Amino acid sequence: MYNTREGEAGSRRMEEWLKENGILLCNQNPWLPALEDIGCTWQDAMSLIDRHQVFYSKSFQKRTAYLSPQAYRLLKALRSPKPLPLSAEAVYTLIQKNPGAEAAFLKSQWREPAKEFRAGLNFLLENLLATAIGSGRRLHENWSELRYAGAEDWERLCPGTEGTKEAQKRLWGIVGGVMTEKQFLAWIR
């Protein structure tokens, strides 16, 4: 069972980590720190997602990555928009018509093969066009459905400064302590 007091401390720890480092991965890996590495849990991440204090993405090597609001805005300012594949465009339209809908609901509205839905959603998450805006139905202790919305919906819920001409320098100053310059340059492409 999730201890609320410990959860609040874990959420604060994760929020502070993200303010200082900008990015945290969900699962342990050889490249960057993950939730477990800093003593946090998936529930801590969900608490911040529910409060719109973290941007859920797959922006780093197609892995689930939590970004601080500042890191998200700076990364968005640096990345050039990529053309939307048809599957991503269709999923984006579905999300726009149903902001905050769980993945299961979105899939139920999808008329194409399931792999096309997953590919479209992943493209949106990788390219900072959509995010998890809240937790949905709990599947088990360490996972639940996610509710999705377009990035612009998240931005309205988490207002802040937009990127500037010095975005690359500012973002490197945030994430440079946890990733190499080579990883950074690949990430902002």
Side-chain angles (χ1 to χ4, degrees):
M1 177 133 227
Y2 188 60
N3 181 314
T4 304
R5 183 172 294 233
E6 287 177 19
E8 290 172 8
S11 294
R12 280 193 304 276
R13 185 172 38 254
M14 184 176 170
E15 189 171 15
E16 288 303 314
W17 167 270
L18 287 169
K19 281 180 185 174
E20 185 175 330
N21 299 289
I23 185 171
L24 185 65
L25 299 184
C26 181
N27 299 310
Q28 288 187 311
N29 65 88
W31 305 286
L32 294 179
L35 290 170
E36 287 180 30
D37 298 328
I38 66 164
C40 291
T41 66
W42 178 82
Q43 291 98 334
D44 299 326
M46 291 311 302
S47 174
L48 293 179
I49 287 171
D50 286 338
R51 294 189 336 249
H52 316 297
Q53 296 300 308
V54 67
F55 190 90
Y56 173 93
S57 75
K58 291 197 174 197
S59 64
F60 183 81
Q61 298 181 353
K62 301 183 180 195
R63 294 173 166 275
T64 297
Y66 307 106
L67 304 177
S68 70
Q70 183 181 25
Y72 157 74
R73 286 182 174 88
L74 292 169
L75 180 61
K76 182 180 175 183
L78 291 170
R79 282 193 168 178
S80 299
K82 294 181 180 164
L84 287 175
L86 291 176
S87 62
E89 189 174 336
V91 172
Y92 187 75
T93 299
L94 191 57
I95 287 172
Q96 291 300 97
K97 289 179 180 176
N98 303 283
E102 288 185 356
F105 174 79
L106 295 171
K107 287 178 193 174
S108 76
Q109 303 302 301
W110 188 254
R111 302 293 175 232
E112 302 297 322
K115 72 178 188 172
E116 292 295 318
F117 175 83
R118 179 57 48 202
L121 182 58
N122 283 338
F123 181 90
L124 297 173
L125 295 171
E126 291 162 15
N127 291 284
L128 308 175
L129 298 169
T131 188
I133 204 158
S135 55
R137 181 177 55 95
R138 194 170 189 140
L139 301 174
H140 58 75
E141 184 178 324
N142 292 315
W143 202 251
S144 72
E145 286 278 344
L146 296 173
R147 295 183 303 107
Y148 292 97
E152 63 282 354
D153 293 321
W154 181 86
E155 289 172 8
R156 280 192 291 277
L157 294 167
C158 183
T161 58
E162 294 302 315
T164 66
K165 291 180 182 178
E166 295 185 1
Q168 184 169 339
K169 181 179 177 183
R170 289 175 57 205
L171 184 57
W172 175 246
I174 295 169
V175 302
V178 295
M179 69 174 64
T180 67
E181 187 173 6
K182 183 178 178 181
Q183 289 171 322
F184 175 73
L185 292 174
W187 184 46
I188 67 172
R189 276 188 294 149

